[in-house]
Structure formats: C-alpha cells, structure tokens
Amino acid sequence: MTHIIFDLLHILDEAGIDQPVAGNVISERLGISRTAVWKYVNLLREVGYVIDASAKTGYTLRKRTWLLLPYEVKRYLKTKVIGQEMHHFEQVPSTNALARQMMHEVGDEVQPGTVLIAEQQTGGLGRMNRVWMSPEGGIWATIVVMPKLHVDQIFLITMAASISLARAIRHEFELSALIQWPNDVFIGDKKVAGTTLELAADEDIIKYCLVGIGVDVNVSVEKVMPNLSRLVTSLSDELGHDVDRAQLFSVFLKEFERRYQMMLKGESEPLFREWRSLSRTLHRRVRVRTIRESFEGEALDVDERGALIIHKDNGEIERVIAGDCYLI
Amino acid sequence: MTHIIFDLLHILDEAGIDQPVAGNVISERLGISRTAVWKYVNLLREVGYVIDASAKTGYTLRKRTWLLLPYEVKRYLKTKVIGQEMHHFEQVPSTNALARQMMHEVGDEVQPGTVLIAEQQTGGLGRMNRVWMSPEGGIWATIVVMPKLHVDQIFLITMAASISLARAIRHEFELSALIQWPNDVFIGDKKVAGTTLELAADEDIIKYCLVGIGVDVNVSVEKVMPNLSRLVTSLSDELGHDVDRAQLFSVFLKEFERRYQMMLKGESEPLFREWRSLSRTLHRRVRVRTIRESFEGEALDVDERGALIIHKDNGEIERVIAGDCYLI
C-alpha cells in the first residue's frame, strides 16, 4: 500500500460513506489516469474496502476494511511520537523478529516510536519464548522505543504497556481488565492480552526496546484455540460482537505514549500507583513458580525493579524477579 | 505493487541472483530512506521473492516470486501492444468480469491490449457459462482487444488465441498440444487450456473483445479437481515438475500478437491453415451435441465463420456453429 492509494482513500473518505465521487474528479486530483484510479480502487477492494462503482456517479465507499492498516489506525491516532511511522504486514513470523531485523539492518534510520503491525504471526512468542497463538483478528504489533534509560528501569516500560492495554480495553468497552504480574491482561479468570519486551543496550544504557503487544480482539477462542478456552478469552467473545481494532489500537498507543513520557520524565510513582490499582495479583494468595522453586503465599507489592514481593506461607519475604504467578 | 517496488526489484535484478546490493546504494538510487527500502524489501518478500539481508553486504535476491506479476511477465515480453499494460490481482471472481467492469467504468481510457491477470478466480466461467476451476498455479487472464472488424469475423480471434496457446505450450515444453474445436487445447485425451470470448459491438462493428485465457500450468489435477482427472491435465502433471508461468505467458502473448496482427491485415487464410494443422477434431469421427440435437459423423473442416462442417452418418453435411464435439 502506497501513498497514492491512501490519497485515493482519503478522497473517498472526505466525501463520506455512501457518497459517490466521480472518477474523473479523483483522476484529476491525483494526477493519474482513470484506468489507474480503477486499478487502485480494485486494490483497495482486495484489502477489504467495499467500494461501489457506477459509470454515472463514480466511486462510493460503502464499508471500510477489516485489516489493521496504518491508514485506519491513523484516522483515530492522537499521538506525537508513538505510531507516527507504521509498517503493516499480512503475515510474518513475528513482529518482534521483524523489528529486530529492521534495527539490525537500518537501525540508525528508524524513527523512535515506529510500529510494526501484522495481521497474523506464524511464529509469535510470548514471555519466556512461549508459543503465542496469533490468529487473524487480533492485534499483533511491536513498538520500537529508544529511551535513554538505565537497563534497571526496563520494567517501567512493561508496566506502561500493560497499564495502557488494560486502560484502553476499559475505556473502549467498559470491560474490567486487570493486570496479572508481570505483563498479562485478564478479563475475569482469562487472559486477553499480553506484552513482551526485548532490549538492546550499550553497557547498561538502553539502545532500544521492542515492546511486543498481543491482544485477542476479534478472535473466537473456541474456534481458533479450543484447547485454551479455559485460560484465554477475546474481546469479541466477551462482548458477543466484533469491534474496531483500529480504534482500540489508536487509543492504546495514546495511553502508552502518555505513560512512556511520564517514565522518561522520571515520574515513576504515578505509574506504580496506577499499576497497583489495576493489579489482579496484589493482596491475593498466589502460587509462584520460578526456574528454581515453587511456593505459595500472599502477593504484597512490586518493588522499584518490578519484582513481586511475596509473603511466603513459611513467614519469609521473597522477591520474585522472573517467574509465573497464579491466583489460588 | 507500485513503480517504486519494481524499481527496487530492477536494481536487485541488475546485480543478478545471489549478488548483494548495499542498502544505501538502493536508497540513493531510489531517493527513499533506508527504512523505506527495508519496508519495500519486506513487501517483495510477502509476494514471494526470497531476499537475504545483511548489515554488511546489503540485500541479495536469492529467488524470484511464484506469482504471475506483470514485472515477471515483462522480463520476457517481446510484444508491441498486447500486454504492454497489465494489471495483476490476487483473487477475483473472474478476470473477464473484472475486464467487463473496467470497460464499463473507464473504457474510453483503456489501452488496447491491456491484460488482467488473477492468481485465482473464485467464479471463473468457461464457454457457455460453464464453471471453470481456476486454482492457484494456473494462468487466468483476460486480454482486451479492440479490432475494428465485423462481428462475423469474431471466430478468428478465438482461433488466434487457441493456436497461440497450443504453439506456446509446444514451443516451451515440446508437448503435443492440439486444438479441439472450437476453443480448447488438449494434450493427449485431456484438456489443458481453453479460451473464451466476450464481445461488445456497435451495430455489427466490434467495439472491444475480451479474450479469456485459462491454462492449468502448475496445478495438481489429482489434488485440486480429482473428479476431473480423467478429462483434465496440467502442464506440471504432464512434465512432472512446475514450470515458469511468466515465461510461458509472455511467449503466448507474443504468439497471440503476431496472429492478431495477421487477422487485422485480413490474412485469415494462414490462420485457418495453422488451425487445421493443429486440430485434434478434423478428419476424426465425432459426436456433436448442440442445443437442439445430437449426432455422429466425420469432422471435415471449419468454414470462414468458424463453424464445424460434419459429414453426418446419414450422408448429410451439417454446419455446427455452437455446440460440443467429442472424439469417438
């Protein structure tokens, strides 16, 4: 998809849904032939736009695409940095792998806040390299940020992303999304979204972070991943209907930008406060599984590195930096 | 796919398969950023090109696409008119329907010889509106021509197309393709390709013709249409390996252009001669089925309107204008 196609779409958009624009008007405004207009209209149809054509009245936009095209996200987008540059792909192994490759090849040129979006991932990974199902209908994206921060502040980015996911879901759909430590978003007892974080650093200063985002939006869990239906839900399953991914994603990007800026300014305390208020983990009995051990206790708080503080049943206090945590 | 992507591909092509081109060289030649180059390389990968990337050496074209992109066809194309303008689509109901729509909407601007190509048709039709299976791997295309001819010369275009299909298959693969009256190409007892013809006329002068082409090229008949495997074959089934669709199609377009020009000049006799020499029908016993009747006899010849002349078993001579004809 290139600029001329988006310019064409913009012309149809200006007229509005169900309002025809004459072919020769489009042709003149874009400075291309009417055959070229016809061709581009067909390419728009191929990516899901419903456009009627009539020799008399011209082209009429009837329905928008279901794809999460940058053009669609940008219609709603109110950020200054995050998502100003977006790249969209139909199917990739994973947007994080793609972002890593992009940084490797042309990293010095990549604009901070660049977002890569895929309709489908064939090799998506969650935290700890676990397989992450990424079917059509979800939001699978990676945000590239370059905060000049010490690596030990990295957890703030995960926090900002998780909070923003939960906030965007709450804001758009009035669903009670909560955050499960460290990085998952739940509705009720089921996971609906998650984040990952990859990091490149010079010594202990961050060069760039790849913030991976996965949200089961318009996904029928029963159909696509039936064996996970006790553990996973989707927004469409919760609401009983599909929703506008572009709008949700743009709201998320705005929420993320706001918290990311706070973090850059060192305003971490409000972030912790917000994280705590959205936590599904704190003040609950949990079972923790780390690489070394497994134990139960009460989740008390997170510390400034993002570690979960557990009051173990044997009376000890333990900091968990990496591991899984289940409510019991 | 737009010009800038093809320009990028052209640069990789100039270097040659397995020869790297530095990212900044591409970036400078195209006047776009290196991130944009990276993006376009990924779009090329999405349409099937295998391109390696390395921060040190740059981008290396390893393998071409399997898609029948205009760029690929044009690499081989030696025509002056036919196929100079080409539009490619992933999936359409039918290229003929698309061409009809194009003529309806912007017909006064369409360049004669314009070709529409689809990777797949969901509603392809053969002669007499029969369903025509058009799976991935075939050549499904429509050529728009505007010969200033009387409508009763229309059969010459079907002839030119059928002959050109048979010739292209023979030339490229040394397979003994023959033409079954009126418009099918056979290898042995099985159909491998066919043509259709749609026509718009003012009074009795042709305004334009849509020449539909279908060839089962890289299609496993056993897999894709097992119920037709006694009647239909494909080039890959005959040869035991896939072949280069772009090259075959470009050869066909060249063959077609040559015969189409002959037709325009009124040189129909050599066309008839060639058609006769490639006929699978003439001088054979056949069963003919028309809308009205069914009979058997010997196929003697075609007349100047393309009608098949049959010496019926009852001694009569019958002209068949439209119908099916089977060898017996």
Side-chain angles (χ1 to χ4, degrees):
Chain A
M1 301 286 291
T2 52
H3 285 298
I4 202 144
I5 300 187
F6 291 128
D7 291 345
L8 164 56
L9 195 49
H10 185 65
I11 292 174
L12 296 177
D13 258 339
E14 275 181 345
I17 293 278
D18 294 335
Q19 298 300 318
V21 187
N24 59 335
V25 170
I26 301 175
S27 155
E28 272 167 38
R29 282 191 53 185
L30 297 179
I32 58 178
S33 74
R34 282 172 55 224
T35 325
V37 172
W38 176 86
K39 168 83 192 277
Y40 286 127
V41 164
N42 279 290
L43 291 178
L44 284 171
R45 286 170 172 154
E46 278 206 2
V47 294
Y49 292 92
V50 178
I51 300 170
D52 282 357
S54 127
K56 280 184 194 157
T57 55
Y59 297 102
T60 310
L61 180 61
R62 296 289 182 197
K63 210 166 158 213
R64 313 198 67 82
T65 182
W66 63 86
L67 295 180
L68 194 57
L69 296 181
Y71 179 90
E72 293 298 311
V73 179
K74 285 192 173 174
R75 290 176 63 227
Y76 302 108
L77 195 63
K78 289 176 185 157
T79 60
K80 292 208 173 65
V81 176
I82 306 290
Q84 289 305 302
E85 181 85 25
M86 281 196 239
H87 300 295
H88 176 270
F89 300 90
E90 285 283 337
Q91 195 188 64
V92 296
S94 88
T95 54
N96 260 49
L98 200 62
R100 214 179 305 130
Q101 177 220 352
M102 178 178 75
M103 294 312 290
H104 184 65
E105 289 168 20
V106 291
D108 51 334
E109 259 213 7
V110 171
Q111 198 175 312
T114 293
V115 171
L116 308 188
I117 304 168
E119 291 298 324
Q120 247 181 306
Q121 297 185 124
T122 52
L125 292 177
R127 204 167 51 95
M128 298 176 174
N129 284 334
R130 286 169 185 150
V131 170
W132 180 286
M133 291 280 290
S134 322
E136 284 180 7
I139 296 176
W140 321 114
T142 295
I143 310 170
V144 183
V145 288
M146 299 153 180
K148 290 213 177 353
L149 291 175
H150 195 271
V151 289
D152 70 4
Q153 290 175 285
I154 190 85
F155 182 71
L156 291 171
I157 300 179
T158 296
M159 259 191 174
S162 308
I163 295 170
S164 304
L165 271 180
R167 281 283 179 226
I169 290 169
R170 284 170 168 252
H171 181 269
E172 288 297 292
F173 311 114
E174 297 182 2
L175 291 168
S176 315
L178 289 173
I179 302 166
Q180 168 143 318
W181 180 90
N183 65 341
D184 288 335
V185 177
F186 274 63
I187 295 174
D189 292 331
K190 295 177 178 181
K191 180 165 164 175
V192 73
T195 66
T196 62
L197 197 74
E198 264 184 74
L199 160 97
D202 268 335
E203 306 289 335
D204 45 8
I205 298 298
I206 294 171
K207 262 170 63 185
Y208 64 83
C209 289
L210 308 179
V211 186
I213 303 294
V215 190
D216 288 313
V217 188
N218 300 324
V219 172
S220 164
V221 172
E222 199 56 65
K223 261 195 210 155
V224 178
M225 31 190 169
N227 54 330
L228 294 177
S229 62
R230 279 188 324 117
L231 305 172
V232 171
T233 188
S234 71
L235 297 176
S236 61
D237 281 350
E238 293 294 321
L239 295 164
H241 58 81
D242 281 1
V243 301
D244 186 341
R245 288 186 298 162
Q247 188 164 350
L248 173 63
F249 192 52
S250 72
V251 170
F252 160 73
L253 292 174
K254 177 72 184 165
E255 299 276 351
F256 179 69
E257 178 165 281
R258 193 156 73 80
R259 289 174 182 82
Y260 179 73
Q261 302 292 1
M262 285 165 63
M263 191 198 73
L264 289 185
K265 286 184 215 153
E267 298 168 9
S268 56
E269 204 33 61
L271 281 181
F272 275 96
R273 210 157 44 230
E274 195 174 15
W275 190 92
R276 283 186 192 102
S277 79
L278 288 170
S279 169
R280 174 177 191 262
T281 311
L282 297 188
H283 318 304
R284 300 286 291 270
R285 276 190 59 75
V286 295
R287 177 178 297 118
V288 171
R289 232 183 357 226
T290 69
I291 297 169
R292 289 190 318 277
E293 55 175 348
S294 179
F295 55 82
E296 299 184 358
E298 196 196 338
L300 296 182
D301 202 356
V302 282
D303 73 8
E304 73 289 353
R305 305 279 181 91
L308 190 64
I309 317 287
I310 307 284
H311 183 195
K312 288 164 81 168
D313 288 353
N314 66 6
E316 292 172 11
I317 300 289
E318 177 129 357
R319 286 180 67 241
V320 184
I321 295 176
D324 288 316
C325 172
Y326 310 95
L327 300 191
I328 51 179
Chain B
M1 302 287 290
T2 50
H3 284 298
I4 202 145
I5 301 187
F6 290 127
D7 291 345
L8 163 56
L9 195 49
H10 185 65
I11 291 173
L12 296 177
D13 257 340
E14 276 180 343
I17 293 279
D18 293 335
Q19 298 299 319
V21 187
N24 59 334
V25 170
I26 301 174
S27 155
E28 273 168 38
R29 282 191 53 185
L30 297 178
I32 59 177
S33 74
R34 281 172 55 225
T35 325
V37 172
W38 175 86
K39 168 84 192 277
Y40 287 128
V41 164
N42 279 290
L43 291 179
L44 283 172
R45 285 170 173 155
E46 280 207 1
V47 294
Y49 292 92
V50 178
I51 299 170
D52 282 356
S54 130
K56 281 183 194 158
T57 55
Y59 297 101
T60 310
L61 180 60
R62 297 287 183 197
K63 212 168 157 211
R64 313 199 68 83
T65 182
W66 63 86
L67 295 180
L68 195 57
L69 297 180
Y71 180 91
E72 293 298 312
V73 179
K74 286 192 174 174
R75 290 176 64 228
Y76 301 108
L77 196 61
K78 290 176 185 156
T79 60
K80 292 207 173 66
V81 176
I82 307 291
Q84 289 305 301
E85 181 87 23
M86 281 196 239
H87 301 295
H88 176 270
F89 301 89
E90 286 283 338
Q91 195 187 64
V92 296
S94 87
T95 54
N96 260 49
L98 201 62
R100 213 178 306 130
Q101 178 219 352
M102 178 178 76
M103 294 311 292
H104 184 66
E105 290 169 19
V106 291
D108 50 335
E109 260 213 5
V110 172
Q111 198 175 313
T114 293
V115 171
L116 308 187
I117 304 168
E119 292 298 324
Q120 247 182 307
Q121 296 185 123
T122 53
L125 293 177
R127 203 167 51 95
M128 295 175 174
N129 283 335
R130 286 169 185 151
V131 170
W132 179 286
M133 292 280 290
S134 322
E136 285 181 6
I139 296 176
W140 320 115
T142 295
I143 310 170
V144 183
V145 288
M146 299 153 180
K148 291 213 175 354
L149 291 175
H150 196 271
V151 288
D152 70 4
Q153 289 175 284
I154 190 85
F155 181 71
L156 290 172
I157 299 180
T158 297
M159 257 191 175
S162 309
I163 295 170
S164 304
L165 272 179
R167 282 283 179 226
I169 291 169
R170 285 170 167 250
H171 181 270
E172 287 298 291
F173 311 115
E174 299 183 359
L175 291 168
S176 314
L178 289 173
I179 302 167
Q180 169 143 319
W181 181 90
N183 65 339
D184 289 333
V185 177
F186 273 63
I187 295 174
D189 291 332
K190 296 177 176 180
K191 180 167 165 173
V192 73
T195 67
T196 63
L197 197 74
E198 265 185 73
L199 160 97
D202 268 337
E203 306 290 334
D204 45 9
I205 298 298
I206 295 170
K207 263 170 64 186
Y208 63 84
C209 289
L210 309 179
V211 185
I213 302 294
V215 190
D216 288 313
V217 187
N218 301 323
V219 172
S220 165
V221 172
E222 198 57 64
K223 262 194 209 154
V224 178
M225 31 190 167
N227 54 330
L228 294 178
S229 60
R230 279 188 326 118
L231 306 172
V232 172
T233 188
S234 71
L235 296 176
S236 61
D237 281 351
E238 293 294 321
L239 295 164
H241 58 80
D242 282 3
V243 301
D244 186 339
R245 287 187 298 162
Q247 188 164 351
L248 173 63
F249 192 51
S250 72
V251 169
F252 160 73
L253 292 174
K254 177 70 185 166
E255 299 275 352
F256 179 69
E257 177 166 283
R258 193 157 72 80
R259 290 175 182 81
Y260 179 74
Q261 302 293 2
M262 285 165 63
M263 191 199 73
L264 289 186
K265 286 185 217 154
E267 299 168 8
S268 57
E269 203 35 58
L271 281 181
F272 274 96
R273 211 157 42 229
E274 195 175 15
W275 190 91
R276 284 186 191 104
S277 79
L278 288 170
S279 168
R280 175 177 190 264
T281 310
L282 297 188
H283 317 305
R284 301 284 293 270
R285 274 190 61 77
V286 295
R287 176 176 299 117
V288 171
R289 231 177 5 221
T290 70
I291 298 167
R292 289 190 319 278
E293 54 175 348
S294 181
F295 56 84
E296 298 184 0
E298 195 195 339
L300 296 182
D301 203 354
V302 283
D303 73 7
E304 73 289 351
R305 304 279 181 88
L308 190 64
I309 317 288
I310 308 283
H311 183 193
K312 288 166 79 169
D313 287 353
N314 66 7
E316 292 172 12
I317 301 288
E318 177 129 356
R319 286 179 67 241
V320 184
I321 294 176
D324 288 316
C325 172
Y326 311 94
L327 299 191
I328 50 179

